[in-house]
Amino acid sequence: MDFLTTVLLLLVGAGGGVALANALRKRSGITNVQRDSVLLLERIEKVFKVVMAEGYFSEIYNYQDQKKILYVLNDPKKAMVIAKSKVLVGFDFAKVRFRAPDNGEKKLIIDAFPQPEVLSIDTNYKFYDIQAGILNHFSGDDYTQILDEAKQAMNERALQSDLPKIANNQIQYMMYQLANSMGWQLQLPEAEQRQLEALKAKAEEQPSAPAQLPSGQ
């Protein structure tokens, strides 16, 4: 047996062994999957953000991209995403501007108070009805864009809901009760002060009931 024949027999034997091993692995249902992850901490920031309202949303987001082949034939790709989100709305107290009166009176004067904002969106996405075109296929960037657009739509929907109004009522009344418990007066900007007076009047109408704000006012 010459050298070339020996090498051919070894290659054939090795190939047969690999094929046999793959067949046995498929039959036994054993797979070897390895996953590695690396956690990188980029930075830590000190914040003073307070959550005052929490809402749950469901949204169906339809994505469609049209692409023409040879400037004539349409080659669309589309996908439907169902998103379920928990949205937290509150305030960034780093934006609050307040001062105490010069005469030493026990009064907290707030000159500027921030608007309620979406502090976080925890979303679960599921893709349905994914249809790629003949040449217009989905890429990783496409999926990233779809998720970003769906999250932005959820953010806008949350800001258009009653969540900001509820959060605003909650924070005003909470600050009023906190200042009142310490013997201080709270003075908000004019528009917010009128809202607070309305909330106080409504709360005083039902003194026996626990202090609870109406959700839509």
Side-chain angles (χ1 to χ4, degrees):
M1 183 181 296
D2 57 9
F3 177 74
L4 181 58
T5 303
T6 303
V7 172
L8 289 175
L9 288 175
L10 289 175
L11 291 176
V12 172
V18 171
L20 180 61
N22 289 334
L24 291 176
R25 184 182 294 112
K26 291 180 180 179
R27 179 171 297 181
S28 61
I30 299 175
T31 57
N32 183 16
V33 180
Q34 294 182 350
R35 295 182 177 88
D36 294 322
S37 64
V38 178
L39 178 63
L40 300 177
L41 178 61
E42 293 185 358
R43 65 181 183 275
I44 296 177
E45 296 180 356
K46 294 181 179 180
V47 297
F48 186 14
K49 298 181 179 181
V50 180
V51 175
M52 299 305 300
E54 180 178 296
Y56 295 84
F57 297 87
S58 296
E59 181 180 15
I60 299 176
Y61 178 77
N62 290 297
Y63 172 87
Q64 186 168 352
D65 175 72
Q66 296 281 352
K67 185 177 182 180
K68 289 186 178 296
I69 301 177
L70 300 177
Y71 302 98
V72 178
L73 299 177
N74 285 330
D75 188 24
K77 62 182 177 184
K78 61 182 181 178
M80 183 178 69
V81 182
I82 297 181
K84 294 186 177 180
S85 301
K86 180 175 75 172
V87 182
L88 303 181
V89 175
F91 298 87
D92 184 357
F93 269 73
K95 301 177 182 178
V96 178
R97 299 292 178 264
F98 60 89
R99 58 185 174 87
D102 297 332
N103 56 11
E105 184 181 3
K106 287 187 175 182
K107 178 184 289 187
L108 181 62
I109 303 174
I110 297 180
D111 294 323
F113 200 81
Q115 294 296 317
E117 59 187 79
V118 174
L119 299 181
S120 75
I121 300 179
D122 183 13
T123 308
N124 180 26
Y125 300 100
K126 289 186 178 181
F127 282 84
Y128 294 90
D129 193 23
I130 300 176
Q131 298 181 20
I134 300 173
L135 299 176
N136 193 13
H137 301 294
F138 281 98
S139 65
D141 292 337
D142 291 328
Y143 288 110
T144 301
Q145 179 184 350
I146 292 172
L147 296 182
D148 288 342
E149 291 179 358
K151 187 174 181 179
Q152 180 62 30
M154 190 70 71
N155 185 88
E156 294 174 358
R157 183 180 176 187
L159 290 177
Q160 293 170 0
S161 69
D162 286 337
L163 282 179
K165 187 182 297 184
I166 294 171
N168 211 33
N169 289 350
Q170 292 280 76
I171 194 66
Q172 289 178 11
Y173 201 71
M174 184 193 74
M175 293 177 63
Y176 160 73
Q177 288 185 317
L178 181 61
N180 191 51
S181 66
M182 301 174 62
W184 282 63
Q185 292 181 343
L186 178 66
Q187 180 177 322
L188 296 170
E190 184 176 355
E192 287 79 4
Q193 188 68 33
R194 288 198 300 267
Q195 295 177 3
L196 178 59
E197 295 300 329
L199 291 174
K200 289 163 57 178
K202 184 170 288 292
E204 291 171 357
E205 291 177 359
Q206 299 175 340
S208 60
Q212 189 173 8
L213 298 179
S215 59
Q217 298 185 2

PDB file of all heavy atoms in Angstrom, residues 119-153:
ATOM      1  N   LEU A 119     -40.003  58.257  32.171  1.00  0.00           N
ATOM      2  CA  LEU A 119     -38.723  57.908  32.771  1.00  0.00           C
ATOM      3  C   LEU A 119     -38.192  56.569  32.277  1.00  0.00           C
ATOM      4  O   LEU A 119     -36.987  56.375  32.183  1.00  0.00           O
ATOM      5  CB  LEU A 119     -38.847  57.892  34.297  1.00  0.00           C
ATOM      6  CG  LEU A 119     -39.255  59.221  34.944  1.00  0.00           C
ATOM      7  CD1 LEU A 119     -39.329  59.070  36.460  1.00  0.00           C
ATOM      8  CD2 LEU A 119     -38.283  60.336  34.575  1.00  0.00           C
ATOM      9  N   SER A 120     -39.080  55.648  31.966  1.00  0.00           N
ATOM     10  CA  SER A 120     -38.635  54.356  31.444  1.00  0.00           C
ATOM     11  C   SER A 120     -39.782  53.659  30.738  1.00  0.00           C
ATOM     12  O   SER A 120     -40.957  53.878  31.060  1.00  0.00           O
ATOM     13  CB  SER A 120     -38.077  53.454  32.554  1.00  0.00           C
ATOM     14  OG  SER A 120     -39.119  52.916  33.334  1.00  0.00           O
ATOM     15  N   ILE A 121     -39.410  52.846  29.751  1.00  0.00           N
ATOM     16  CA  ILE A 121     -40.369  52.010  29.029  1.00  0.00           C
ATOM     17  C   ILE A 121     -39.815  50.591  28.995  1.00  0.00           C
ATOM     18  O   ILE A 121     -38.757  50.359  28.419  1.00  0.00           O
ATOM     19  CB  ILE A 121     -40.611  52.512  27.594  1.00  0.00           C
ATOM     20  CG1 ILE A 121     -41.157  53.944  27.588  1.00  0.00           C
ATOM     21  CG2 ILE A 121     -41.582  51.597  26.866  1.00  0.00           C
ATOM     22  CD1 ILE A 121     -41.397  54.490  26.197  1.00  0.00           C
ATOM     23  N   ASP A 122     -40.509  49.685  29.636  1.00  0.00           N
ATOM     24  CA  ASP A 122     -40.119  48.269  29.644  1.00  0.00           C
ATOM     25  C   ASP A 122     -41.057  47.545  28.688  1.00  0.00           C
ATOM     26  O   ASP A 122     -42.240  47.375  28.976  1.00  0.00           O
ATOM     27  CB  ASP A 122     -40.227  47.710  31.065  1.00  0.00           C
ATOM     28  CG  ASP A 122     -39.762  46.267  31.134  1.00  0.00           C
ATOM     29  OD1 ASP A 122     -39.139  45.790  30.170  1.00  0.00           O
ATOM     30  OD2 ASP A 122     -40.022  45.608  32.165  1.00  0.00           O
ATOM     31  N   THR A 123     -40.522  47.133  27.542  1.00  0.00           N
ATOM     32  CA  THR A 123     -41.363  46.626  26.464  1.00  0.00           C
ATOM     33  C   THR A 123     -40.994  45.207  26.078  1.00  0.00           C
ATOM     34  O   THR A 123     -39.820  44.849  26.026  1.00  0.00           O
ATOM     35  CB  THR A 123     -41.254  47.533  25.216  1.00  0.00           C
ATOM     36  OG1 THR A 123     -41.496  48.884  25.597  1.00  0.00           O
ATOM     37  CG2 THR A 123     -42.260  47.132  24.156  1.00  0.00           C
ATOM     38  N   ASN A 124     -42.023  44.420  25.803  1.00  0.00           N
ATOM     39  CA  ASN A 124     -41.867  43.066  25.285  1.00  0.00           C
ATOM     40  C   ASN A 124     -42.386  43.057  23.849  1.00  0.00           C
ATOM     41  O   ASN A 124     -43.553  43.352  23.609  1.00  0.00           O
ATOM     42  CB  ASN A 124     -42.643  42.068  26.148  1.00  0.00           C
ATOM     43  CG  ASN A 124     -42.501  40.650  25.649  1.00  0.00           C
ATOM     44  OD1 ASN A 124     -41.514  40.307  25.001  1.00  0.00           O
ATOM     45  ND2 ASN A 124     -43.486  39.817  25.928  1.00  0.00           N
ATOM     46  N   TYR A 125     -41.494  42.740  22.896  1.00  0.00           N
ATOM     47  CA  TYR A 125     -41.857  42.767  21.487  1.00  0.00           C
ATOM     48  C   TYR A 125     -42.030  41.346  20.949  1.00  0.00           C
ATOM     49  O   TYR A 125     -41.276  40.441  21.311  1.00  0.00           O
ATOM     50  CB  TYR A 125     -40.778  43.464  20.644  1.00  0.00           C
ATOM     51  CG  TYR A 125     -40.515  44.894  21.026  1.00  0.00           C
ATOM     52  CD1 TYR A 125     -39.431  45.236  21.820  1.00  0.00           C
ATOM     53  CD2 TYR A 125     -41.335  45.921  20.568  1.00  0.00           C
ATOM     54  CE1 TYR A 125     -39.174  46.549  22.151  1.00  0.00           C
ATOM     55  CE2 TYR A 125     -41.086  47.239  20.889  1.00  0.00           C
ATOM     56  CZ  TYR A 125     -40.003  47.544  21.685  1.00  0.00           C
ATOM     57  OH  TYR A 125     -39.746  48.848  22.012  1.00  0.00           O
ATOM     58  N   LYS A 126     -43.007  41.186  20.058  1.00  0.00           N
ATOM     59  CA  LYS A 126     -43.177  39.935  19.328  1.00  0.00           C
ATOM     60  C   LYS A 126     -43.445  40.264  17.866  1.00  0.00           C
ATOM     61  O   LYS A 126     -44.301  41.094  17.560  1.00  0.00           O
ATOM     62  CB  LYS A 126     -44.318  39.102  19.912  1.00  0.00           C
ATOM     63  CG  LYS A 126     -44.004  38.485  21.266  1.00  0.00           C
ATOM     64  CD  LYS A 126     -45.111  37.552  21.721  1.00  0.00           C
ATOM     65  CE  LYS A 126     -44.766  36.893  23.054  1.00  0.00           C
ATOM     66  NZ  LYS A 126     -45.830  35.961  23.512  1.00  0.00           N
ATOM     67  N   PHE A 127     -42.699  39.599  16.980  1.00  0.00           N
ATOM     68  CA  PHE A 127     -42.845  39.828  15.551  1.00  0.00           C
ATOM     69  C   PHE A 127     -43.823  38.810  14.974  1.00  0.00           C
ATOM     70  O   PHE A 127     -43.752  37.613  15.276  1.00  0.00           O
ATOM     71  CB  PHE A 127     -41.501  39.698  14.836  1.00  0.00           C
ATOM     72  CG  PHE A 127     -40.615  40.902  14.997  1.00  0.00           C
ATOM     73  CD1 PHE A 127     -39.807  41.052  16.101  1.00  0.00           C
ATOM     74  CD2 PHE A 127     -40.595  41.896  14.024  1.00  0.00           C
ATOM     75  CE1 PHE A 127     -38.995  42.152  16.256  1.00  0.00           C
ATOM     76  CE2 PHE A 127     -39.782  43.002  14.154  1.00  0.00           C
ATOM     77  CZ  PHE A 127     -38.979  43.136  15.273  1.00  0.00           C
ATOM     78  N   TYR A 128     -44.734  39.304  14.130  1.00  0.00           N
ATOM     79  CA  TYR A 128     -45.677  38.452  13.443  1.00  0.00           C
ATOM     80  C   TYR A 128     -45.718  38.850  11.964  1.00  0.00           C
ATOM     81  O   TYR A 128     -45.419  39.985  11.602  1.00  0.00           O
ATOM     82  CB  TYR A 128     -47.083  38.592  14.032  1.00  0.00           C
ATOM     83  CG  TYR A 128     -47.214  38.098  15.454  1.00  0.00           C
ATOM     84  CD1 TYR A 128     -47.006  38.958  16.533  1.00  0.00           C
ATOM     85  CD2 TYR A 128     -47.543  36.779  15.733  1.00  0.00           C
ATOM     86  CE1 TYR A 128     -47.118  38.516  17.836  1.00  0.00           C
ATOM     87  CE2 TYR A 128     -47.667  36.315  17.036  1.00  0.00           C
ATOM     88  CZ  TYR A 128     -47.453  37.192  18.084  1.00  0.00           C
ATOM     89  OH  TYR A 128     -47.563  36.747  19.377  1.00  0.00           O
ATOM     90  N   ASP A 129     -46.118  37.913  11.135  1.00  0.00           N
ATOM     91  CA  ASP A 129     -46.376  38.184   9.722  1.00  0.00           C
ATOM     92  C   ASP A 129     -45.203  38.909   9.061  1.00  0.00           C
ATOM     93  O   ASP A 129     -45.358  39.983   8.470  1.00  0.00           O
ATOM     94  CB  ASP A 129     -47.661  39.010   9.576  1.00  0.00           C
ATOM     95  CG  ASP A 129     -48.146  39.051   8.129  1.00  0.00           C
ATOM     96  OD1 ASP A 129     -47.788  38.148   7.362  1.00  0.00           O
ATOM     97  OD2 ASP A 129     -48.866  39.999   7.769  1.00  0.00           O
ATOM     98  N   ILE A 130     -44.025  38.306   9.165  1.00  0.00           N
ATOM     99  CA  ILE A 130     -42.840  38.876   8.523  1.00  0.00           C
ATOM    100  C   ILE A 130     -42.798  38.393   7.077  1.00  0.00           C
ATOM    101  O   ILE A 130     -42.746  37.193   6.816  1.00  0.00           O
ATOM    102  CB  ILE A 130     -41.555  38.465   9.266  1.00  0.00           C
ATOM    103  CG1 ILE A 130     -41.603  38.954  10.718  1.00  0.00           C
ATOM    104  CG2 ILE A 130     -40.323  39.012   8.556  1.00  0.00           C
ATOM    105  CD1 ILE A 130     -40.414  38.516  11.540  1.00  0.00           C
ATOM    106  N   GLN A 131     -42.844  39.323   6.150  1.00  0.00           N
ATOM    107  CA  GLN A 131     -42.840  38.992   4.725  1.00  0.00           C
ATOM    108  C   GLN A 131     -41.734  39.786   4.041  1.00  0.00           C
ATOM    109  O   GLN A 131     -41.807  41.013   3.958  1.00  0.00           O
ATOM    110  CB  GLN A 131     -44.194  39.314   4.082  1.00  0.00           C
ATOM    111  CG  GLN A 131     -45.352  38.529   4.669  1.00  0.00           C
ATOM    112  CD  GLN A 131     -46.673  38.865   3.996  1.00  0.00           C
ATOM    113  OE1 GLN A 131     -46.695  39.393   2.886  1.00  0.00           O
ATOM    114  NE2 GLN A 131     -47.784  38.561   4.666  1.00  0.00           N
ATOM    115  N   ALA A 132     -40.721  39.075   3.597  1.00  0.00           N
ATOM    116  CA  ALA A 132     -39.618  39.709   2.880  1.00  0.00           C
ATOM    117  C   ALA A 132     -39.898  39.698   1.385  1.00  0.00           C
ATOM    118  O   ALA A 132     -40.621  38.838   0.864  1.00  0.00           O
ATOM    119  CB  ALA A 132     -38.308  38.979   3.177  1.00  0.00           C
ATOM    120  N   GLY A 133     -39.321  40.665   0.674  1.00  0.00           N
ATOM    121  CA  GLY A 133     -39.476  40.732  -0.769  1.00  0.00           C
ATOM    122  C   GLY A 133     -38.539  39.776  -1.474  1.00  0.00           C
ATOM    123  O   GLY A 133     -37.779  39.020  -0.851  1.00  0.00           O
ATOM    124  N   ILE A 134     -38.593  39.810  -2.793  1.00  0.00           N
ATOM    125  CA  ILE A 134     -37.728  38.929  -3.581  1.00  0.00           C
ATOM    126  C   ILE A 134     -36.256  39.299  -3.379  1.00  0.00           C
ATOM    127  O   ILE A 134     -35.407  38.449  -3.122  1.00  0.00           O
ATOM    128  CB  ILE A 134     -38.111  39.018  -5.068  1.00  0.00           C
ATOM    129  CG1 ILE A 134     -39.572  38.582  -5.259  1.00  0.00           C
ATOM    130  CG2 ILE A 134     -37.187  38.157  -5.919  1.00  0.00           C
ATOM    131  CD1 ILE A 134     -40.084  38.786  -6.672  1.00  0.00           C
ATOM    132  N   LEU A 135     -35.975  40.570  -3.472  1.00  0.00           N
ATOM    133  CA  LEU A 135     -34.617  41.071  -3.240  1.00  0.00           C
ATOM    134  C   LEU A 135     -34.539  41.988  -2.024  1.00  0.00           C
ATOM    135  O   LEU A 135     -33.447  42.295  -1.564  1.00  0.00           O
ATOM    136  CB  LEU A 135     -34.116  41.835  -4.480  1.00  0.00           C
ATOM    137  CG  LEU A 135     -34.025  41.017  -5.777  1.00  0.00           C
ATOM    138  CD1 LEU A 135     -33.603  41.920  -6.926  1.00  0.00           C
ATOM    139  CD2 LEU A 135     -33.034  39.859  -5.621  1.00  0.00           C
ATOM    140  N   ASN A 136     -35.676  42.413  -1.545  1.00  0.00           N
ATOM    141  CA  ASN A 136     -35.743  43.357  -0.429  1.00  0.00           C
ATOM    142  C   ASN A 136     -35.872  42.575   0.880  1.00  0.00           C
ATOM    143  O   ASN A 136     -36.973  42.372   1.398  1.00  0.00           O
ATOM    144  CB  ASN A 136     -36.934  44.301  -0.628  1.00  0.00           C
ATOM    145  CG  ASN A 136     -36.885  45.488   0.299  1.00  0.00           C
ATOM    146  OD1 ASN A 136     -35.870  45.754   0.931  1.00  0.00           O
ATOM    147  ND2 ASN A 136     -37.991  46.208   0.392  1.00  0.00           N
ATOM    148  N   HIS A 137     -34.760  42.122   1.409  1.00  0.00           N
ATOM    149  CA  HIS A 137     -34.757  41.269   2.605  1.00  0.00           C
ATOM    150  C   HIS A 137     -34.577  42.107   3.874  1.00  0.00           C
ATOM    151  O   HIS A 137     -34.153  43.252   3.825  1.00  0.00           O
ATOM    152  CB  HIS A 137     -33.652  40.218   2.507  1.00  0.00           C
ATOM    153  CG  HIS A 137     -33.767  39.325   1.308  1.00  0.00           C
ATOM    154  ND1 HIS A 137     -34.804  38.443   1.131  1.00  0.00           N
ATOM    155  CD2 HIS A 137     -32.968  39.187   0.206  1.00  0.00           C
ATOM    156  CE1 HIS A 137     -34.659  37.785  -0.005  1.00  0.00           C
ATOM    157  NE2 HIS A 137     -33.550  38.234  -0.594  1.00  0.00           N
ATOM    158  N   PHE A 138     -34.901  41.483   5.007  1.00  0.00           N
ATOM    159  CA  PHE A 138     -34.703  42.117   6.308  1.00  0.00           C
ATOM    160  C   PHE A 138     -33.262  41.927   6.762  1.00  0.00           C
ATOM    161  O   PHE A 138     -32.682  40.848   6.613  1.00  0.00           O
ATOM    162  CB  PHE A 138     -35.645  41.522   7.355  1.00  0.00           C
ATOM    163  CG  PHE A 138     -37.048  42.045   7.278  1.00  0.00           C
ATOM    164  CD1 PHE A 138     -38.034  41.327   6.614  1.00  0.00           C
ATOM    165  CD2 PHE A 138     -37.383  43.253   7.856  1.00  0.00           C
ATOM    166  CE1 PHE A 138     -39.326  41.800   6.543  1.00  0.00           C
ATOM    167  CE2 PHE A 138     -38.681  43.735   7.786  1.00  0.00           C
ATOM    168  CZ  PHE A 138     -39.653  43.001   7.128  1.00  0.00           C
ATOM    169  N   SER A 139     -32.708  42.992   7.338  1.00  0.00           N
ATOM    170  CA  SER A 139     -31.368  42.935   7.909  1.00  0.00           C
ATOM    171  C   SER A 139     -31.451  43.234   9.402  1.00  0.00           C
ATOM    172  O   SER A 139     -32.508  43.598   9.931  1.00  0.00           O
ATOM    173  CB  SER A 139     -30.457  43.958   7.224  1.00  0.00           C
ATOM    174  OG  SER A 139     -30.893  45.287   7.492  1.00  0.00           O
ATOM    175  N   GLY A 140     -30.327  43.087  10.083  1.00  0.00           N
ATOM    176  CA  GLY A 140     -30.305  43.409  11.509  1.00  0.00           C
ATOM    177  C   GLY A 140     -30.638  44.861  11.773  1.00  0.00           C
ATOM    178  O   GLY A 140     -31.323  45.190  12.749  1.00  0.00           O
ATOM    179  N   ASP A 141     -30.186  45.765  10.882  1.00  0.00           N
ATOM    180  CA  ASP A 141     -30.498  47.185  11.041  1.00  0.00           C
ATOM    181  C   ASP A 141     -31.995  47.440  10.885  1.00  0.00           C
ATOM    182  O   ASP A 141     -32.553  48.333  11.544  1.00  0.00           O
ATOM    183  CB  ASP A 141     -29.719  48.013  10.024  1.00  0.00           C
ATOM    184  CG  ASP A 141     -28.228  48.015  10.304  1.00  0.00           C
ATOM    185  OD1 ASP A 141     -27.853  47.769  11.463  1.00  0.00           O
ATOM    186  OD2 ASP A 141     -27.442  48.259   9.368  1.00  0.00           O
ATOM    187  N   ASP A 142     -32.653  46.673  10.015  1.00  0.00           N
ATOM    188  CA  ASP A 142     -34.096  46.836   9.850  1.00  0.00           C
ATOM    189  C   ASP A 142     -34.840  46.508  11.135  1.00  0.00           C
ATOM    190  O   ASP A 142     -35.749  47.240  11.552  1.00  0.00           O
ATOM    191  CB  ASP A 142     -34.608  45.933   8.722  1.00  0.00           C
ATOM    192  CG  ASP A 142     -34.130  46.384   7.354  1.00  0.00           C
ATOM    193  OD1 ASP A 142     -33.955  47.601   7.167  1.00  0.00           O
ATOM    194  OD2 ASP A 142     -33.913  45.523   6.488  1.00  0.00           O
ATOM    195  N   TYR A 143     -34.469  45.412  11.787  1.00  0.00           N
ATOM    196  CA  TYR A 143     -35.132  45.036  13.039  1.00  0.00           C
ATOM    197  C   TYR A 143     -34.866  46.074  14.125  1.00  0.00           C
ATOM    198  O   TYR A 143     -35.763  46.409  14.916  1.00  0.00           O
ATOM    199  CB  TYR A 143     -34.655  43.658  13.497  1.00  0.00           C
ATOM    200  CG  TYR A 143     -35.180  42.526  12.640  1.00  0.00           C
ATOM    201  CD1 TYR A 143     -34.329  41.814  11.800  1.00  0.00           C
ATOM    202  CD2 TYR A 143     -36.525  42.176  12.666  1.00  0.00           C
ATOM    203  CE1 TYR A 143     -34.810  40.777  11.009  1.00  0.00           C
ATOM    204  CE2 TYR A 143     -37.011  41.140  11.876  1.00  0.00           C
ATOM    205  CZ  TYR A 143     -36.149  40.449  11.055  1.00  0.00           C
ATOM    206  OH  TYR A 143     -36.636  39.436  10.263  1.00  0.00           O
ATOM    207  N   THR A 144     -33.643  46.605  14.172  1.00  0.00           N
ATOM    208  CA  THR A 144     -33.332  47.649  15.152  1.00  0.00           C
ATOM    209  C   THR A 144     -34.173  48.889  14.902  1.00  0.00           C
ATOM    210  O   THR A 144     -34.704  49.503  15.840  1.00  0.00           O
ATOM    211  CB  THR A 144     -31.842  48.007  15.089  1.00  0.00           C
ATOM    212  OG1 THR A 144     -31.056  46.841  15.359  1.00  0.00           O
ATOM    213  CG2 THR A 144     -31.502  49.083  16.103  1.00  0.00           C
ATOM    214  N   GLN A 145     -34.322  49.276  13.638  1.00  0.00           N
ATOM    215  CA  GLN A 145     -35.135  50.436  13.291  1.00  0.00           C
ATOM    216  C   GLN A 145     -36.598  50.218  13.657  1.00  0.00           C
ATOM    217  O   GLN A 145     -37.263  51.122  14.181  1.00  0.00           O
ATOM    218  CB  GLN A 145     -35.015  50.737  11.796  1.00  0.00           C
ATOM    219  CG  GLN A 145     -35.867  51.926  11.341  1.00  0.00           C
ATOM    220  CD  GLN A 145     -35.807  52.131   9.838  1.00  0.00           C
ATOM    221  OE1 GLN A 145     -35.000  51.511   9.145  1.00  0.00           O
ATOM    222  NE2 GLN A 145     -36.669  53.002   9.336  1.00  0.00           N
ATOM    223  N   ILE A 146     -37.114  49.021  13.400  1.00  0.00           N
ATOM    224  CA  ILE A 146     -38.508  48.722  13.736  1.00  0.00           C
ATOM    225  C   ILE A 146     -38.737  48.857  15.240  1.00  0.00           C
ATOM    226  O   ILE A 146     -39.720  49.464  15.689  1.00  0.00           O
ATOM    227  CB  ILE A 146     -38.885  47.310  13.250  1.00  0.00           C
ATOM    228  CG1 ILE A 146     -38.917  47.262  11.722  1.00  0.00           C
ATOM    229  CG2 ILE A 146     -40.241  46.882  13.814  1.00  0.00           C
ATOM    230  CD1 ILE A 146     -39.098  45.873  11.156  1.00  0.00           C
ATOM    231  N   LEU A 147     -37.839  48.299  16.037  1.00  0.00           N
ATOM    232  CA  LEU A 147     -37.996  48.368  17.495  1.00  0.00           C
ATOM    233  C   LEU A 147     -37.879  49.799  17.994  1.00  0.00           C
ATOM    234  O   LEU A 147     -38.614  50.212  18.900  1.00  0.00           O
ATOM    235  CB  LEU A 147     -36.950  47.473  18.170  1.00  0.00           C
ATOM    236  CG  LEU A 147     -37.073  45.976  17.893  1.00  0.00           C
ATOM    237  CD1 LEU A 147     -36.015  45.205  18.656  1.00  0.00           C
ATOM    238  CD2 LEU A 147     -38.459  45.456  18.266  1.00  0.00           C
ATOM    239  N   ASP A 148     -36.960  50.582  17.423  1.00  0.00           N
ATOM    240  CA  ASP A 148     -36.811  51.986  17.826  1.00  0.00           C
ATOM    241  C   ASP A 148     -38.077  52.785  17.501  1.00  0.00           C
ATOM    242  O   ASP A 148     -38.540  53.595  18.314  1.00  0.00           O
ATOM    243  CB  ASP A 148     -35.600  52.617  17.136  1.00  0.00           C
ATOM    244  CG  ASP A 148     -34.283  52.097  17.685  1.00  0.00           C
ATOM    245  OD1 ASP A 148     -34.295  51.531  18.794  1.00  0.00           O
ATOM    246  OD2 ASP A 148     -33.252  52.256  17.005  1.00  0.00           O
ATOM    247  N   GLU A 149     -38.626  52.561  16.308  1.00  0.00           N
ATOM    248  CA  GLU A 149     -39.841  53.287  15.921  1.00  0.00           C
ATOM    249  C   GLU A 149     -41.036  52.866  16.776  1.00  0.00           C
ATOM    250  O   GLU A 149     -41.870  53.709  17.138  1.00  0.00           O
ATOM    251  CB  GLU A 149     -40.135  53.049  14.442  1.00  0.00           C
ATOM    252  CG  GLU A 149     -39.120  53.701  13.504  1.00  0.00           C
ATOM    253  CD  GLU A 149     -39.429  53.424  12.040  1.00  0.00           C
ATOM    254  OE1 GLU A 149     -40.414  52.699  11.772  1.00  0.00           O
ATOM    255  OE2 GLU A 149     -38.693  53.923  11.177  1.00  0.00           O
ATOM    256  N   ALA A 150     -41.126  51.580  17.085  1.00  0.00           N
ATOM    257  CA  ALA A 150     -42.225  51.109  17.934  1.00  0.00           C
ATOM    258  C   ALA A 150     -42.109  51.701  19.344  1.00  0.00           C
ATOM    259  O   ALA A 150     -43.116  52.097  19.945  1.00  0.00           O
ATOM    260  CB  ALA A 150     -42.222  49.582  17.999  1.00  0.00           C
ATOM    261  N   LYS A 151     -40.887  51.794  19.857  1.00  0.00           N
ATOM    262  CA  LYS A 151     -40.696  52.374  21.193  1.00  0.00           C
ATOM    263  C   LYS A 151     -41.015  53.861  21.188  1.00  0.00           C
ATOM    264  O   LYS A 151     -41.620  54.376  22.132  1.00  0.00           O
ATOM    265  CB  LYS A 151     -39.254  52.147  21.649  1.00  0.00           C
ATOM    266  CG  LYS A 151     -38.996  52.570  23.086  1.00  0.00           C
ATOM    267  CD  LYS A 151     -37.603  52.194  23.533  1.00  0.00           C
ATOM    268  CE  LYS A 151     -37.354  52.585  24.979  1.00  0.00           C
ATOM    269  NZ  LYS A 151     -35.983  52.203  25.429  1.00  0.00           N
ATOM    270  N   GLN A 152     -40.629  54.567  20.132  1.00  0.00           N
ATOM    271  CA  GLN A 152     -40.939  55.983  20.040  1.00  0.00           C
ATOM    272  C   GLN A 152     -42.445  56.208  19.955  1.00  0.00           C
ATOM    273  O   GLN A 152     -42.988  57.144  20.563  1.00  0.00           O
ATOM    274  CB  GLN A 152     -40.247  56.588  18.806  1.00  0.00           C
ATOM    275  CG  GLN A 152     -40.499  58.071  18.608  1.00  0.00           C
ATOM    276  CD  GLN A 152     -39.986  58.920  19.746  1.00  0.00           C
ATOM    277  OE1 GLN A 152     -39.005  58.566  20.390  1.00  0.00           O
ATOM    278  NE2 GLN A 152     -40.650  60.038  20.006  1.00  0.00           N
ATOM    279  N   ALA A 153     -43.140  55.362  19.200  1.00  0.00           N
ATOM    280  CA  ALA A 153     -44.597  55.471  19.122  1.00  0.00           C
ATOM    281  C   ALA A 153     -45.237  55.228  20.488  1.00  0.00           C
ATOM    282  O   ALA A 153     -46.211  55.901  20.857  1.00  0.00           O
ATOM    283  CB  ALA A 153     -45.134  54.472  18.095  1.00  0.00           C
TER     284      ALA A 153
END
